[in-house]
Amino acid sequence: MKIKRFLCAVAAAGVLLTVGCQKDPSTSSLHDEYLVYTAHDAEADFSEVGTYYIPDSILLIGTYALDPNGQKIAKYWTDKDAVALINTIAREMEGRGYVRLTDYDLKDTADAGFQVSYVEEASYFIGYNDPYWWGYYPYYWAPGYWGPWAGWYYPYTVYYGYTTGSLLVEMLDLNSTPGADRKLPVIWSCYISGLLHGNRSIDIKEASDGIVQAFVQSPYLKK
């Protein structure tokens, strides 16, 4: 299953421009620009999504902490700026008729789940086949967070170049039947790059604007 069309937005000199992209475009030449890239499962029916769950933190990719035994464990971004970005996603979802479940105990009853990540270290990835690119980082939204899954995957073609200062937002179909031999599908993804200006307030503002733009160029996201 492949995406039939991609939409992107590139901001240059403070002006947000919307441009059309050919199928499976390379983003490697756009790493120095402010880019908003979205993709989705063309067969997903987003009108059937009623509720969703989104964690209250953002995973930091490219960095990690150590537990008392010296084992690598994930680090998360949890301050007010992280909460502001998560709330931006929540506002956009609410505006399209979706209901957020905030109780962690209700996570398993949600129709969709969101995982939000921020790349702190420059890395380049191509494709999504084994070995999974996310396997390079400890506990990168391990499938077990969402239930008894063998992993998760994109049911559409994905070729990304992730660079330092990129924000990733992914929506997962939690209505899929779980199983130890099944993979959880990512039905919508958003990639925002170019968020390093040496000014935290500017970076957060552009990240927030990028999230809004991602929903603008995803009109199929509505209840």
Side-chain angles (χ1 to χ4, degrees):
M1 193 184 313
K2 293 185 177 181
I3 293 291
K4 299 303 182 183
R5 188 177 178 215
F6 288 111
L7 295 176
C8 359
V10 178
V15 179
L16 191 65
L17 304 177
T18 302
V19 298
C21 297
Q22 58 183 325
K23 185 172 68 175
D24 302 341
S26 169
T27 61
S28 60
S29 64
L30 298 173
H31 286 171
D32 295 331
E33 304 291 342
Y34 177 47
L35 170 74
V36 179
Y37 171 91
T38 54
H40 73 288
D41 179 357
E43 294 189 3
D45 186 352
F46 294 95
S47 67
E48 293 185 353
V49 175
T51 60
Y52 71 94
Y53 181 83
I54 183 171
D56 59 1
S57 56
I58 297 175
L59 179 70
L60 296 175
I61 297 179
T63 185
Y64 54 84
L66 297 176
D67 67 13
N69 297 318
Q71 299 296 312
K72 295 179 181 180
I73 57 176
K75 288 181 65 176
Y76 294 89
W77 180 12
T78 60
D79 65 14
K80 63 180 181 62
D81 290 332
V83 172
L85 295 179
I86 291 169
N87 287 341
T88 299
I89 297 172
R91 283 194 302 272
E92 293 300 312
M93 288 292 286
E94 180 182 5
R96 285 155 179 77
Y98 301 110
V99 176
R100 179 183 182 183
L101 301 181
T102 57
D103 188 338
Y104 178 82
D105 292 335
L106 297 178
K107 171 173 63 71
D108 294 340
T109 68
D111 297 317
F114 276 91
Q115 48 195 33
V116 187
S117 311
Y118 180 76
V119 182
E120 283 202 322
E121 179 181 301
S123 299
Y124 187 76
F125 304 100
I126 268 193
Y128 59 94
N129 295 319
D130 290 336
Y132 300 111
W133 55 263
W134 48 265
Y136 292 107
Y137 300 98
Y139 303 105
Y140 177 76
W141 292 120
Y145 181 86
W146 301 107
W149 296 91
W152 48 268
Y153 77 107
Y154 300 97
Y156 45 87
T157 302
V158 175
Y159 294 98
Y160 285 159
Y162 294 152
T163 57
T164 299
S166 298
L167 186 71
L168 315 177
V169 183
E170 295 163 317
M171 179 192 292
L172 303 104
D173 180 10
L174 300 184
N175 282 330
S176 296
T177 303
D181 60 343
R182 299 176 64 87
K183 295 179 181 179
L184 180 60
V186 178
I187 54 177
W188 180 78
S189 60
C190 164
Y191 165 50
I192 305 170
S193 70
L195 300 176
L196 286 179
H197 299 278
N199 185 305
R200 182 67 172 264
S201 62
I202 292 177
D203 290 341
I204 298 302
K205 175 64 166 57
E206 287 200 348
S208 181
D209 289 346
I211 291 171
V212 173
Q213 175 60 32
F215 279 88
V216 168
Q217 63 194 50
S218 304
Y220 43 82
L221 285 178
K222 59 184 178 181
K223 178 60 181 171

